[in-house]
Amino acid sequence: MTFLRAIWKLLVGVKDALVLLVLILFFAGLYGALSARPAPVRDGVLHLNLDGSVVEQPSRRQWADVAGSSRIQEYRLRDLVAALDKARDDGRVKAVALDLDGFTGGGATAIGDLADAVRRVRGAGKPVIAYGVGFTDDSYALASAASEIWLNPLGGVLVTGPGGSNLYYKGLLDKLGVTANVYRVGTYKSAVEPYIRNDMSPEARQNYTALDEARLETWRQEVKQARPKANIDLFLSNMNGAVAAAGGDMAKAALQAGLVDRIGDRRDFESRLADLGGGAGEHGSAFKRISLGSYVGDVVNQKPSGPIGVVTIAGMIVDGKAGPGTAGGDTIASQIQDGIRNRGVKALVVRVDSPGGSVLASERIRQALVEAKSKKIPIVVSMGSVAASGGYWVSTPADFIYAEPSTITGSIGVFGVLPSFQGTLQKLGVGADGVKTTPLSGEPDLLKGPSPQASQLLQTGVESMYGRFLSLVAQSRHKTPQQIDQIAQGRVWDGGTARQIGLVDGFGGFSDAIAKAAQLAGLGNERGVRYLEAQPSLRDQLIATLANTNDDDSATPTDAFSTLAHEPQQQLASVLAEVRSILSGPSIQVRCLECPAVAPARIEQKDLTLLGFVKGWLN
């Protein structure tokens, strides 16, 4: 027995030593990964392999991304723009490659800002070469800014313009026995229509038509300005005719119409980059490649310091705290207050890219901006792709509002959706009953449906919030609430029309907002900024480091038709996320559901659970 105990102790000791060794190696590797500097940047081609979407503020990576998930990679717009602006005068960068095979798009304003940065590189005399197998509206808008557009021989330019079908759930809810109790103000507040109709109302159709036609015209003008010889109208009006005239060859049709400059496969494209960048690269690479991550790490200051504070309100506005990519009311308000009190901020630029969300969270952010304004801090709002409903609510304290013609804004309206399940219980043979001591006891009753008294109270709350919204906008725009009501009613506007009706003050991008803030604060030529946002924690850095190793293996569509076929999948993901957030969110919201998404939808496990429940019920 003594011998066996000795053997056992030896085995336990070996096990403990191995565990200790593994832990030491793990933390040594972790320290090395987090503290390692990017590889030195050498001469070559700056390779923008945009295998994902462009957003104002990427969401925080999760452990699921390390294991592998369906998450689409997100690229921060300001990092891309800063890298391109640095590349203009950087002698190491011989050319820029826009590799758009896996590009899934972004907001119209974000893509426009990125295209402007590409044009500035061209203006500095450096070639920008774009390549793709399938160009759609977003990818072609970006590629059109390049000096050369390459198209794979088996690819095509499939531009379709804005528009399409929406999903309406009333029939599904009826089958499930779910009643969507809707409370709203606004003739055009069509966000709640999917829950109470099976088709689009005439008012919503009017609003959508005007908005999409304006978006299409803005897109056409930008593309025509970038490529004046391209017959883009032919492809928009009669793509089948253009392809037929080219003998059924989609790539040849795009070349004949002047939409692309060269037809070639990836080897031809990389050979062209090798010619521009000084030959083949190391380790068998076809050209001398400067990776985007290495270049951003080398030339872009991630912690700038200056007197102009920049607050980013991106994604859904929600109550409480939230990470990047979602605008938590308490989080944003704390960042503003900290910037004013502790960081010496003398002016604020608020970058808004949000369709809104919670009323209380929107008001929490607005109050923080009002507090800053009371301390004589000028506020300039820079609207991104979407700044609607709650996104406009938080913009009302501004001294000046910039937007782009492609910006979607307005949606000044309020709604609430409260689901009740009396029909579901009836289908299941389950009853619900009880007693009341007051007319509002147990209300809102989600089992039997809200009582008339409760519904009246909720509708009154929605109407009160709408009146509050009108007053805030009227005060901000120096109009009467009655004048604002005529352009409100939940209607969504493009940036060009919004300027005409006085919802924004001028056209301009982020740099214009910085200059305006400096002017209002009397800073002279000082343009230094500091971003009022939390720095990533050790946990976030670890997850990001590990998740980045999976990004190269992401399965994004590569051919033209796969790119188009991928869009319904994203639409389904967006629908699942929207249904979940609407039904689980606050009862009263200032939110624009009809606005385009500001970031790709991310399917969570709860969405899959909801989808599985619906499928099981219907079967």
Short mmCIF file of all heavy atoms in Angstrom, two decimals, residues 167-182 191-198 417-425 427 575 579-580 582-583 610 613-614 617-618:
data_model
loop_
_atom_site.label_atom_id
_atom_site.label_comp_id
_atom_site.label_asym_id
_atom_site.label_seq_id
_atom_site.Cartn_x
_atom_site.Cartn_y
_atom_site.Cartn_z
N LEU A 167 -41.71 41.96 -44.46
CA LEU A 167 -42.52 40.88 -43.89
C LEU A 167 -43.61 41.46 -43.00
O LEU A 167 -43.39 42.42 -42.26
CB LEU A 167 -41.63 39.93 -43.09
CG LEU A 167 -40.62 39.12 -43.90
CD1 LEU A 167 -39.79 38.23 -42.98
CD2 LEU A 167 -41.32 38.26 -44.95
N TYR A 168 -44.78 40.83 -43.05
CA TYR A 168 -45.93 41.23 -42.23
C TYR A 168 -46.40 40.00 -41.46
O TYR A 168 -46.59 38.93 -42.05
CB TYR A 168 -47.04 41.82 -43.10
CG TYR A 168 -46.65 43.15 -43.71
CD1 TYR A 168 -45.86 43.20 -44.86
CD2 TYR A 168 -47.03 44.34 -43.12
CE1 TYR A 168 -45.46 44.41 -45.40
CE2 TYR A 168 -46.64 45.56 -43.66
CZ TYR A 168 -45.86 45.59 -44.79
OH TYR A 168 -45.47 46.80 -45.32
N TYR A 169 -46.62 40.15 -40.17
CA TYR A 169 -46.77 39.00 -39.29
C TYR A 169 -48.19 38.78 -38.77
O TYR A 169 -48.41 37.88 -37.97
CB TYR A 169 -45.85 39.13 -38.07
CG TYR A 169 -44.49 39.69 -38.37
CD1 TYR A 169 -44.05 40.88 -37.81
CD2 TYR A 169 -43.63 39.01 -39.23
CE1 TYR A 169 -42.80 41.39 -38.09
CE2 TYR A 169 -42.37 39.51 -39.51
CZ TYR A 169 -41.96 40.71 -38.94
OH TYR A 169 -40.73 41.21 -39.22
N LYS A 170 -49.16 39.60 -39.20
CA LYS A 170 -50.48 39.48 -38.59
C LYS A 170 -51.05 38.07 -38.76
O LYS A 170 -51.62 37.50 -37.82
CB LYS A 170 -51.45 40.50 -39.18
CG LYS A 170 -52.81 40.50 -38.48
CD LYS A 170 -53.74 41.54 -39.04
CE LYS A 170 -55.02 41.59 -38.21
NZ LYS A 170 -55.71 40.29 -38.13
N GLY A 171 -50.91 37.50 -39.95
CA GLY A 171 -51.43 36.15 -40.16
C GLY A 171 -50.76 35.14 -39.25
O GLY A 171 -51.41 34.25 -38.70
N LEU A 172 -49.45 35.26 -39.08
CA LEU A 172 -48.72 34.36 -38.20
C LEU A 172 -49.18 34.54 -36.75
O LEU A 172 -49.41 33.56 -36.04
CB LEU A 172 -47.22 34.63 -38.32
CG LEU A 172 -46.32 33.91 -37.31
CD1 LEU A 172 -46.41 32.40 -37.50
CD2 LEU A 172 -44.88 34.39 -37.45
N LEU A 173 -49.30 35.81 -36.32
CA LEU A 173 -49.73 36.06 -34.95
C LEU A 173 -51.13 35.51 -34.71
O LEU A 173 -51.43 34.99 -33.63
CB LEU A 173 -49.69 37.56 -34.65
CG LEU A 173 -48.30 38.21 -34.67
CD1 LEU A 173 -48.40 39.71 -34.41
CD2 LEU A 173 -47.38 37.57 -33.65
N ASP A 174 -52.00 35.62 -35.72
CA ASP A 174 -53.35 35.07 -35.59
C ASP A 174 -53.29 33.56 -35.39
O ASP A 174 -54.03 32.99 -34.59
CB ASP A 174 -54.19 35.40 -36.82
CG ASP A 174 -54.57 36.88 -36.88
OD1 ASP A 174 -54.45 37.56 -35.83
OD2 ASP A 174 -54.95 37.36 -37.97
N LYS A 175 -52.43 32.89 -36.15
CA LYS A 175 -52.31 31.44 -36.00
C LYS A 175 -51.78 31.06 -34.63
O LYS A 175 -52.15 30.03 -34.06
CB LYS A 175 -51.38 30.88 -37.09
CG LYS A 175 -51.98 30.88 -38.49
CD LYS A 175 -51.04 30.22 -39.48
CE LYS A 175 -51.68 30.17 -40.86
NZ LYS A 175 -50.81 29.48 -41.86
N LEU A 176 -50.88 31.90 -34.10
CA LEU A 176 -50.33 31.63 -32.78
C LEU A 176 -51.25 32.08 -31.66
O LEU A 176 -51.01 31.75 -30.49
CB LEU A 176 -48.97 32.32 -32.62
CG LEU A 176 -47.86 31.88 -33.56
CD1 LEU A 176 -46.63 32.75 -33.39
CD2 LEU A 176 -47.51 30.42 -33.33
N GLY A 177 -52.27 32.85 -32.02
CA GLY A 177 -53.17 33.38 -31.00
C GLY A 177 -52.62 34.56 -30.25
O GLY A 177 -53.11 34.91 -29.18
N VAL A 178 -51.60 35.20 -30.80
CA VAL A 178 -50.98 36.35 -30.15
C VAL A 178 -51.63 37.63 -30.67
O VAL A 178 -51.78 37.82 -31.88
CB VAL A 178 -49.46 36.39 -30.42
CG1 VAL A 178 -48.84 37.64 -29.79
CG2 VAL A 178 -48.80 35.13 -29.89
N THR A 179 -52.02 38.50 -29.75
CA THR A 179 -52.60 39.79 -30.12
C THR A 179 -51.56 40.88 -29.92
O THR A 179 -51.00 41.02 -28.82
CB THR A 179 -53.84 40.10 -29.26
OG1 THR A 179 -54.81 39.07 -29.45
CG2 THR A 179 -54.44 41.44 -29.66
N ALA A 180 -51.29 41.63 -30.98
CA ALA A 180 -50.36 42.76 -30.88
C ALA A 180 -51.18 44.00 -30.56
O ALA A 180 -51.87 44.56 -31.42
CB ALA A 180 -49.59 42.94 -32.16
N ASN A 181 -51.16 44.44 -29.32
CA ASN A 181 -51.87 45.64 -28.90
C ASN A 181 -50.98 46.84 -29.22
O ASN A 181 -49.91 47.01 -28.63
CB ASN A 181 -52.18 45.58 -27.41
CG ASN A 181 -52.99 44.34 -27.04
OD1 ASN A 181 -54.20 44.30 -27.23
ND2 ASN A 181 -52.31 43.32 -26.52
N VAL A 182 -51.42 47.64 -30.19
CA VAL A 182 -50.57 48.69 -30.74
C VAL A 182 -51.10 50.06 -30.31
O VAL A 182 -52.30 50.33 -30.36
CB VAL A 182 -50.54 48.60 -32.28
CG1 VAL A 182 -49.88 49.82 -32.89
CG2 VAL A 182 -49.81 47.34 -32.71
N ALA A 191 -43.94 51.58 -38.54
CA ALA A 191 -43.13 50.56 -37.89
C ALA A 191 -44.00 49.44 -37.31
O ALA A 191 -43.59 48.27 -37.29
CB ALA A 191 -42.30 51.18 -36.78
N VAL A 192 -45.20 49.78 -36.86
CA VAL A 192 -46.04 48.78 -36.21
C VAL A 192 -46.93 48.04 -37.20
O VAL A 192 -47.61 47.09 -36.82
CB VAL A 192 -46.91 49.43 -35.12
CG1 VAL A 192 -46.03 49.99 -34.02
CG2 VAL A 192 -47.77 50.55 -35.71
N GLU A 193 -46.94 48.43 -38.46
CA GLU A 193 -47.83 47.80 -39.43
C GLU A 193 -47.61 46.30 -39.58
O GLU A 193 -48.59 45.56 -39.76
CB GLU A 193 -47.70 48.49 -40.79
CG GLU A 193 -48.37 49.83 -40.85
CD GLU A 193 -48.45 50.39 -42.25
OE1 GLU A 193 -47.96 49.73 -43.19
OE2 GLU A 193 -49.02 51.48 -42.40
N PRO A 194 -46.38 45.79 -39.55
CA PRO A 194 -46.21 44.34 -39.68
C PRO A 194 -46.95 43.52 -38.63
O PRO A 194 -47.21 42.34 -38.85
CB PRO A 194 -44.69 44.16 -39.55
CG PRO A 194 -44.12 45.45 -40.02
CD PRO A 194 -45.07 46.49 -39.54
N TYR A 195 -47.30 44.15 -37.50
CA TYR A 195 -47.96 43.41 -36.44
C TYR A 195 -49.48 43.51 -36.51
O TYR A 195 -50.19 42.78 -35.81
CB TYR A 195 -47.48 43.92 -35.08
CG TYR A 195 -45.99 43.83 -34.93
CD1 TYR A 195 -45.16 44.92 -35.21
CD2 TYR A 195 -45.37 42.65 -34.55
CE1 TYR A 195 -43.79 44.83 -35.10
CE2 TYR A 195 -44.00 42.54 -34.45
CZ TYR A 195 -43.22 43.64 -34.73
OH TYR A 195 -41.86 43.54 -34.64
N ILE A 196 -50.01 44.41 -37.37
CA ILE A 196 -51.45 44.59 -37.43
C ILE A 196 -52.01 44.47 -38.84
O ILE A 196 -53.22 44.58 -39.03
CB ILE A 196 -51.85 45.98 -36.85
CG1 ILE A 196 -51.17 47.11 -37.63
CG2 ILE A 196 -51.50 46.05 -35.37
CD1 ILE A 196 -51.57 48.52 -37.18
N ARG A 197 -51.13 44.25 -39.83
CA ARG A 197 -51.56 44.14 -41.22
C ARG A 197 -50.83 42.99 -41.90
O ARG A 197 -49.80 42.51 -41.42
CB ARG A 197 -51.28 45.43 -41.99
CG ARG A 197 -52.02 46.66 -41.51
CD ARG A 197 -51.59 47.87 -42.35
NE ARG A 197 -51.93 47.70 -43.77
CZ ARG A 197 -53.00 48.22 -44.35
NH1 ARG A 197 -53.83 48.96 -43.65
NH2 ARG A 197 -53.22 48.02 -45.63
N ASN A 198 -51.37 42.61 -43.05
CA ASN A 198 -50.69 41.63 -43.90
C ASN A 198 -50.13 42.28 -45.16
O ASN A 198 -49.60 41.58 -46.03
CB ASN A 198 -51.65 40.50 -44.29
CG ASN A 198 -51.90 39.54 -43.13
OD1 ASN A 198 -50.99 39.22 -42.38
ND2 ASN A 198 -53.15 39.12 -42.98
N VAL A 417 -45.85 48.60 -28.66
CA VAL A 417 -46.43 47.30 -28.99
C VAL A 417 -46.40 46.44 -27.73
O VAL A 417 -45.34 46.24 -27.14
CB VAL A 417 -45.68 46.60 -30.12
CG1 VAL A 417 -46.30 45.23 -30.42
CG2 VAL A 417 -45.66 47.45 -31.38
N LEU A 418 -47.57 45.95 -27.34
CA LEU A 418 -47.68 45.12 -26.15
C LEU A 418 -48.37 43.82 -26.53
O LEU A 418 -49.57 43.82 -26.82
CB LEU A 418 -48.47 45.86 -25.07
CG LEU A 418 -48.45 45.25 -23.68
CD1 LEU A 418 -47.05 45.35 -23.07
CD2 LEU A 418 -49.44 45.98 -22.78
N PRO A 419 -47.65 42.70 -26.58
CA PRO A 419 -48.29 41.44 -26.97
C PRO A 419 -49.11 40.86 -25.81
O PRO A 419 -48.72 40.97 -24.64
CB PRO A 419 -47.10 40.55 -27.30
CG PRO A 419 -46.00 41.05 -26.44
CD PRO A 419 -46.21 42.54 -26.31
N SER A 420 -50.24 40.28 -26.14
CA SER A 420 -51.03 39.54 -25.15
C SER A 420 -51.41 38.19 -25.75
O SER A 420 -51.45 38.02 -26.97
CB SER A 420 -52.27 40.33 -24.73
OG SER A 420 -53.10 40.63 -25.85
N PHE A 421 -51.74 37.22 -24.88
CA PHE A 421 -51.77 35.82 -25.31
C PHE A 421 -53.10 35.14 -25.01
O PHE A 421 -53.14 33.92 -24.80
CB PHE A 421 -50.61 35.07 -24.64
CG PHE A 421 -49.28 35.70 -24.90
CD1 PHE A 421 -48.73 36.60 -24.01
CD2 PHE A 421 -48.60 35.43 -26.07
CE1 PHE A 421 -47.51 37.21 -24.25
CE2 PHE A 421 -47.36 36.02 -26.33
CZ PHE A 421 -46.82 36.91 -25.42
N GLN A 422 -54.19 35.92 -25.02
CA GLN A 422 -55.48 35.31 -24.74
C GLN A 422 -55.85 34.28 -25.81
O GLN A 422 -56.42 33.22 -25.50
CB GLN A 422 -56.57 36.38 -24.63
CG GLN A 422 -56.77 37.27 -25.84
CD GLN A 422 -55.92 38.52 -25.82
OE1 GLN A 422 -54.80 38.48 -25.31
NE2 GLN A 422 -56.43 39.62 -26.37
N GLY A 423 -55.51 34.55 -27.06
CA GLY A 423 -55.80 33.61 -28.13
C GLY A 423 -54.96 32.35 -28.00
O GLY A 423 -55.43 31.23 -28.28
N THR A 424 -53.71 32.51 -27.60
CA THR A 424 -52.84 31.35 -27.42
C THR A 424 -53.37 30.43 -26.33
O THR A 424 -53.42 29.20 -26.48
CB THR A 424 -51.42 31.82 -27.06
OG1 THR A 424 -50.96 32.75 -28.04
CG2 THR A 424 -50.46 30.66 -26.98
N LEU A 425 -53.80 31.02 -25.21
CA LEU A 425 -54.33 30.21 -24.11
C LEU A 425 -55.60 29.47 -24.54
O LEU A 425 -55.81 28.32 -24.15
CB LEU A 425 -54.61 31.11 -22.90
CG LEU A 425 -53.39 31.79 -22.26
CD1 LEU A 425 -53.81 32.62 -21.06
CD2 LEU A 425 -52.35 30.76 -21.85
N LYS A 427 -56.31 28.45 -27.57
CA LYS A 427 -55.91 27.33 -28.42
C LYS A 427 -55.38 26.17 -27.60
O LYS A 427 -55.53 24.99 -27.97
CB LYS A 427 -54.84 27.80 -29.42
CG LYS A 427 -55.35 28.74 -30.50
CD LYS A 427 -54.21 29.22 -31.38
CE LYS A 427 -54.69 30.20 -32.45
NZ LYS A 427 -55.51 29.54 -33.48
N VAL A 575 -35.04 40.32 -39.26
CA VAL A 575 -36.42 40.18 -38.83
C VAL A 575 -36.50 39.50 -37.47
O VAL A 575 -37.20 39.95 -36.56
CB VAL A 575 -37.23 39.38 -39.88
CG1 VAL A 575 -38.57 38.92 -39.29
CG2 VAL A 575 -37.47 40.23 -41.10
N VAL A 579 -38.08 41.38 -34.24
CA VAL A 579 -39.25 40.86 -33.53
C VAL A 579 -38.93 40.66 -32.06
O VAL A 579 -39.70 41.04 -31.17
CB VAL A 579 -39.73 39.55 -34.17
CG1 VAL A 579 -40.80 38.89 -33.31
CG2 VAL A 579 -40.30 39.81 -35.56
N ARG A 580 -37.78 40.06 -31.80
CA ARG A 580 -37.39 39.83 -30.41
C ARG A 580 -37.24 41.13 -29.64
O ARG A 580 -37.75 41.27 -28.52
CB ARG A 580 -36.08 39.04 -30.36
CG ARG A 580 -35.47 38.97 -28.96
CD ARG A 580 -34.21 38.11 -28.94
NE ARG A 580 -33.27 38.48 -29.97
CZ ARG A 580 -32.40 39.48 -29.84
NH1 ARG A 580 -32.43 40.25 -28.76
NH2 ARG A 580 -31.54 39.75 -30.80
N ILE A 582 -38.46 44.13 -30.31
CA ILE A 582 -39.71 44.86 -30.17
C ILE A 582 -40.56 44.28 -29.04
O ILE A 582 -41.07 45.00 -28.18
CB ILE A 582 -40.51 44.82 -31.49
CG1 ILE A 582 -39.97 45.86 -32.46
CG2 ILE A 582 -41.98 45.10 -31.26
CD1 ILE A 582 -40.29 47.29 -32.08
N LEU A 583 -40.69 42.95 -29.02
CA LEU A 583 -41.55 42.31 -28.04
C LEU A 583 -40.95 42.32 -26.64
O LEU A 583 -41.67 42.25 -25.65
CB LEU A 583 -41.86 40.88 -28.47
CG LEU A 583 -42.63 40.74 -29.79
CD1 LEU A 583 -42.94 39.28 -30.08
CD2 LEU A 583 -43.91 41.55 -29.77
N LEU A 610 -36.73 31.24 -30.83
CA LEU A 610 -38.00 31.78 -31.29
C LEU A 610 -38.40 31.18 -32.62
O LEU A 610 -39.56 30.78 -32.81
CB LEU A 610 -37.89 33.31 -31.41
CG LEU A 610 -39.11 34.04 -32.01
CD1 LEU A 610 -40.33 33.84 -31.13
CD2 LEU A 610 -38.80 35.53 -32.17
N PHE A 613 -39.55 27.63 -32.12
CA PHE A 613 -40.88 27.57 -31.51
C PHE A 613 -41.97 27.80 -32.55
O PHE A 613 -42.97 27.09 -32.59
CB PHE A 613 -40.98 28.61 -30.40
CG PHE A 613 -42.38 28.80 -29.86
CD1 PHE A 613 -42.94 27.87 -29.00
CD2 PHE A 613 -43.14 29.91 -30.24
CE1 PHE A 613 -44.23 28.04 -28.52
CE2 PHE A 613 -44.42 30.08 -29.77
CZ PHE A 613 -44.98 29.15 -28.90
N VAL A 614 -41.76 28.82 -33.40
CA VAL A 614 -42.75 29.13 -34.42
C VAL A 614 -42.91 27.96 -35.39
O VAL A 614 -44.03 27.56 -35.74
CB VAL A 614 -42.35 30.41 -35.18
CG1 VAL A 614 -43.27 30.64 -36.37
CG2 VAL A 614 -42.41 31.61 -34.25
N TRP A 617 -44.78 25.16 -33.70
CA TRP A 617 -46.20 25.47 -33.54
C TRP A 617 -46.96 25.29 -34.84
O TRP A 617 -48.05 24.71 -34.88
CB TRP A 617 -46.33 26.90 -33.04
CG TRP A 617 -47.77 27.32 -32.80
CD1 TRP A 617 -48.65 27.81 -33.72
CD2 TRP A 617 -48.47 27.27 -31.58
NE1 TRP A 617 -49.85 28.07 -33.15
CE2 TRP A 617 -49.78 27.74 -31.81
CE3 TRP A 617 -48.13 26.87 -30.28
CZ2 TRP A 617 -50.75 27.84 -30.82
CZ3 TRP A 617 -49.09 26.97 -29.29
CH2 TRP A 617 -50.37 27.44 -29.56
N LEU A 618 -46.36 25.77 -35.94
CA LEU A 618 -47.04 25.70 -37.23
C LEU A 618 -47.13 24.26 -37.74
O LEU A 618 -48.03 23.92 -38.51
CB LEU A 618 -46.31 26.58 -38.25
CG LEU A 618 -46.36 28.09 -37.96
CD1 LEU A 618 -45.58 28.85 -39.02
CD2 LEU A 618 -47.78 28.60 -37.88
#
